[in-house]
Amino acid sequence: MPQAMTPQEFVAKWRNVIVKERSGYQEHFMDVCRLVDYPTPLEADPTGRHYTFEAGAKKLGGKQGFADVWRRGLFAWEYKGKRADLDAAYRQLLQYREDLENPPLLIACDLDKVIIHPQFVNAANRPVTLTLDDLLTPDGMATLRAVFHDPERFHAAQTPAQVTEQAAKEFGRLAELLRAAGADPQEAAHFLIRLLFCLFAEDVNLLPHDLFTRLVQAARGRPDAFAAQLGQLFAAMSTGGWFGTEPIQHFDGRLFDDAQVLPLDAEGLEILANICGLNWAAMEPSILGTLFERSLDPDKRAQLGAHYTSREDILLIMEPVLMAPLRRRWAEVRVQAEALAAERDAAPTGQVSAAEKAKRTRFRDKCNADLARLLDGFADEIAAVQVLDPACGSGNFLYVALRQLLDLEHEVIRLAAALGLTRFTPRVDPAQLHGIEINEYAHELAQATIWIGYLQWLHEHGFGAPSAPVLRPLDNVLQMDAIMDRATDPPTEPAWPAADVIIGNPPFLGGGRMRKELGDAYTEALFRLYGDRLPNFSDLVCYWFEKARAYIEQGTVQRVGLLATQGIRGGANRKVLERIKESGDIFWAISDRDWILAGANVHVSMVGFDGGGEAVRELDGKSVTKINANLTALADTTQAQILPENGGLSFQGPSPKAPFDIPAELAERMLTAPMNPNGRFNSDVVRPVASAIDIARGSRGSWTIYFADMEMEEAAQYEMPFEHVRMNVLPVRANRRDDYRGQWWQYARPRPDMRRALNGLSRYIATPRVSKYRVFSWMPANHLANDGTIVFAREDDYFFGVLHSRVHEVWALRMGTALEDRPRYTPTTTFETFPFPWPPGAEPVGDPRAEAIAAAARELVQLRNAWLDPPGASDAELKKRTLTNLYNARPTWLDLAHRKLDEAVLDAYAWPHDVTDEELLARLLALNLARARIA
């Protein structure tokens, strides 16, 4: 162990030393070891294998380099002469770090000061500077000791995501202050993005050290002085020049195209002064755009603090769609490169003639030229890939794509250096990214996100900054409507930027909400524009899928990866996936995954497709031979046919689209009113109403007025109900466009076919259209199940039992769609395709198998009813006893009752009790197709 040295002795020795780096660095480091009570390299490791001076590493330029000191798993230390550029020393270490096994600390030193750069993963690492004077303090010495004895001390408590969240929150406060002062929201956003970039730029050394922070601190409490100085800084950043005595690079890129400054008051300056201390270099660009859009856009402020889509989530679709072909190609190139290098280096050594030496030199030169051409060529392939996000939002997907391409190119650069080649620098560039976004806040943030992410990557990997101007306008990120150009008459499809790969997260909007959200005129124009390719009221996301599919079919795009709600797997939405398989194929998909949308958790499907050339198929993380249009791999239930035998039995409940429901008290007055002029009582049209909520969570005791498909003259004779509808429904219908069938006194969709089918039944079956559990309930004949339900015109226990069996539930889950985590049931694709054990109406009378199903169904209902309404239960207790809560708990008695029913139904099909879900689907599909052929 070296003889101890005091801080005073160390500072006194080194304060006035002016020797060059190579002359003094080893002695300086050994004195540091004496100062912190740590062995020198030779004392600790005579072999130099894990702790040494002059640790060899390949520079990314291809030449051999050396870290001045290296300790495996601890640090790499680079020395420079006094007052030298320690940022350059740090960049040099960044280029060595992979060869030095990625030590947690990179340290640059000029004999006067030590700058410690932590490299911990997923931490907002911030450099720590120690001067000679700092070493005379207890804190300074404790910090230097930690380099050797406690490197975890430098592990930042915050993650980059947490820093970004905090920054966005504070910028939200600044945005509120500017709006309160009357600033135009878009001008305020542009100004705040400038401030954001300045904070980032000074922390990655694009602006002189702490320049912006010094400006804010100097003008604290003097808003006018700050505005004047900031305008001068913006002007210098616009063209390049000077700000006081500090040289400023040329930035522009339209972000700094003028010197306009919005005034911040004293409170705003205080906020800005406080956030200058954040580690802006460590921001996470994959969430930056989303969080800052929420903070700057008044319409999205409520989402601040909500969840967001992480880089890891985006990579789920980015890797298989964008990166997989490139990685496969890189694996081939790497093998070829290493073989060439091995051939080059295989020449024997020893004394040879001058002619032989020249021959070997020519051979090595040829190998190097071939090697450079191979690696250069692949680097050019990466740099040629054009990526489009046609709904890019604030740029998150585009940034992640850029990062992945840069990381892959970095692997090429590192291999080139390891194989002794020179001249390899990144060629991947933001110009490869193309975006379309309609929101002006998101559009501008997308450009900032991409540039910040790009500059951050260069900084983190030691490549400095681009040549002037540092920023370039991203004209390839367009602000426009991606699916319809309304500047033409009639509207036309807009052309998307040329790209090799399309990837992104188009807007999720259900077809049923399009009129409300987009307006009648837009919706009708969209239907006319795409009507020959997509069913009307397909979810909005389907239009992005269809446009991308068309580009694949034209051969102008190679691969596509898009997100959609789970609803794309079924109903009208599935048409677009069927078209994708007709003109190409789906090669990758995740059928069901939690996702964050506008801060809310939803369930999505992810789909990767191409022209059919991809040989590898993967579904839900498993290798498969095919992916069906409903995002399954085995039984292709998209082939299932509508069975005429099931017709006229299942209906969506009537849809009011106006306030027809009435409270129980009013219903009671109508029901006890005298007989009407037509000799009928109001009970004909005043009926208890059941929604999906009533079925799943218990009756709310609601009533409705339902004139079915009566003409006005007939309906008007029910005096009190008709007058109520005239007073309450007519004004609603008069003030809106009513594109539903029926007249104002009728439900918008009265479903007369359902009414006729139920005529004469004592009860019928209903199930929620959308529900976590597929539960079925009996409804009295006088109850009206509304549009949130599906109604079945049967009153027998056998039919109820088949519907409530596992056989039918498995089919319903596959054939239906989903809203978040709640499966949706449809009368057509779900029910009318389902093959019952015997065709409805042809059940064998007295067959013991049918009787067993009926008995099991009755037992299930009796047990459930006993649990739902036990004698003597309080009102509070009864409120807790709902079908949803029952199936959440699924007690053993309920499970056994369902198992008994399931086995009875399987016996009716003559299928084994242990049949798997996939085998069950295959059997049902075969039965469906056989029945369809017979029909």
Side-chain angles (χ1 to χ4, degrees), residues 193 197 200-201 204 206 250-256 283 285 288 394-395 398-399 402 406 428-433 443-459 464-477:
I193 293 172
F197 187 85
F200 168 77
V204 296
L206 291 171
H250 177 193
F251 286 89
D252 192 6
R254 293 210 191 97
L255 184 57
F256 296 98
M283 282 192 300
L288 181 150
S394 45
L398 290 176
Y399 157 72
L402 179 67
L406 283 165
V428 170
D429 183 89
Q432 294 173 240
L433 307 179
H443 173 255
E444 184 160 7
L445 272 164
Q447 300 171 73
T449 295
I450 292 167
W451 272 113
I452 286 174
Y454 178 62
L455 296 169
Q456 184 189 67
W457 189 93
L458 293 178
H459 174 73
S467 57
V470 174
L471 304 176
R472 297 188 304 280
L474 282 180
D475 293 328
N476 40 343
V477 178

Side-chain angles (χ1 to χ4, degrees), residues 269-335:
L269 276 178
E270 194 65 25
I271 294 171
L272 198 55
N274 290 334
I275 61 179
C276 282
L278 292 174
N279 186 0
W280 294 87
M283 282 192 300
E284 176 49 67
S286 67
I287 62 173
L288 181 150
T290 295
L291 295 183
F292 274 78
E293 184 183 356
R294 293 174 184 174
S295 71
L296 304 184
D297 187 339
D299 294 334
K300 297 189 176 180
R301 283 281 292 141
Q303 296 173 19
L304 264 180
H307 293 290
Y308 46 78
T309 299
S310 68
R311 185 195 302 188
E312 290 70 27
D313 286 333
I314 297 171
L315 284 174
L316 284 174
I317 194 167
M318 193 74 66
E319 273 295 321
V321 175
L322 173 64
M323 300 306 298
L326 290 170
R327 295 198 195 284
R328 289 197 295 261
R329 173 82 177 112
W330 171 227
E332 296 170 357
V333 168
R334 189 179 189 108
V335 169

